[in-house]
């Protein structure tokens, strides 16, 4: 292989790496790290936890979000209908690094709905979020189904 061909190949790989880095930076700007996904059954407080982590009131209404994202309700029905992300400062403290929290619909609803929930979750994480640092599994303290 000629030196010029090797040089061109290295230059091309360098260019591709730079492009990939730019894509990650663009994604990082939209979804700052760390990225936290909150999973759990319907009604365990996933949206409340997400709101508290972002420094909002645990009963935040989520008016600027569609499909119930980050919206809290006292009822037992599922409010969050889609997987969605928001970014902010840890516990609302602007002196701390920004991060991303991903609110998800609850599991444990009807099987057909649960299949759609999982498909939406996977698609959102794969196509938009790209990678995750932490998965939190939320459950009610009084739920003894996880014990032996």
């Amino acid at each position: 292989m000629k030196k010029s061909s090797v040089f061109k190949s290295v230059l091309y790989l360098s260019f591709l790496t730079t492009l990939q880095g730019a894509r990650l930076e663009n994604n990082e700007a939209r979804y700052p790290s760390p990225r936290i996904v909150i999973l759990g059954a319907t009604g365990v407080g996933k949206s409340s936890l997400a709101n508290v982590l972002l420094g909002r009131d645990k009963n935040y209404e989520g008016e600027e979000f569609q499909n119930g994202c980050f919206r809290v309700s006292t009822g037992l029905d599922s409010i969050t209908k889609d997987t969605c992300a928001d970014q902010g400062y840890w516990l609302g403290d602007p002196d701390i690094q920004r991060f991303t929290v991903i609110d998800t619909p609850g599991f444990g609803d009807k099987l057909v709905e649960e299949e759609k929930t999982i498909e939406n979750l996977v698609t959102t994480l794969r196509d938009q979020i790209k990678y995750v640092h932490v998965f939190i599994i939320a459950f009610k303290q009084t739920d003894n189904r996880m014990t032996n």
Side-chain angles (χ1 to χ4, degrees):
M1 189 176 228
K2 293 182 180 180
K3 285 185 179 181
S4 63
S5 295
V6 171
F7 179 74
K8 286 179 183 176
S9 295
V10 169
L11 189 60
Y12 180 69
L13 286 173
S14 176
F15 175 71
L16 288 178
T17 303
T18 303
L19 280 180
Q20 183 64 25
R23 284 189 198 123
L24 287 176
E25 287 177 21
N26 288 339
N27 189 322
E28 185 67 26
R30 186 170 180 193
Y31 303 110
S33 294
R35 299 171 186 189
I36 302 169
V37 177
I38 304 175
L39 303 167
T42 298
V44 298
K46 295 177 300 300
S47 296
S48 291
L49 175 59
N51 289 325
V52 169
L53 293 177
L54 289 165
R56 297 192 285 238
D57 185 81
K58 67 179 181 177
N59 296 315
Y60 178 72
E61 290 292 322
E63 293 91 12
E64 67 261 23
F65 296 97
Q66 296 179 359
N67 298 315
C69 293
F70 299 96
R71 183 168 172 234
V72 177
S73 170
T74 56
L76 296 176
D77 293 332
S78 178
I79 300 298
T80 304
K81 303 296 183 196
D82 281 334
T83 300
C84 33
D86 196 13
Q87 54 281 149
Y89 297 100
W90 186 258
L91 303 177
D93 184 347
D95 294 329
I96 300 178
Q97 169 185 335
R98 291 176 59 81
F99 75 106
T100 301
V101 65
I102 296 102
D103 192 16
T104 62
F107 293 102
D109 293 333
K110 298 174 185 166
L111 183 59
V112 174
E113 290 178 21
E114 196 158 289
E115 287 175 353
K116 289 178 184 176
T117 295
I118 293 169
E119 185 177 321
N120 175 262
L121 172 65
V122 169
T123 301
T124 300
L125 293 179
R126 181 191 65 216
D127 297 346
Q128 295 175 28
I129 306 300
K130 305 288 186 193
Y131 60 92
V132 173
H133 296 93
V134 176
F135 287 91
I136 296 175
I137 300 173
F139 57 94
K140 288 187 180 184
Q141 182 178 0
T142 57
D143 190 349
N144 61 6
R145 293 178 292 172
M146 295 185 76
T147 63
N148 45 351

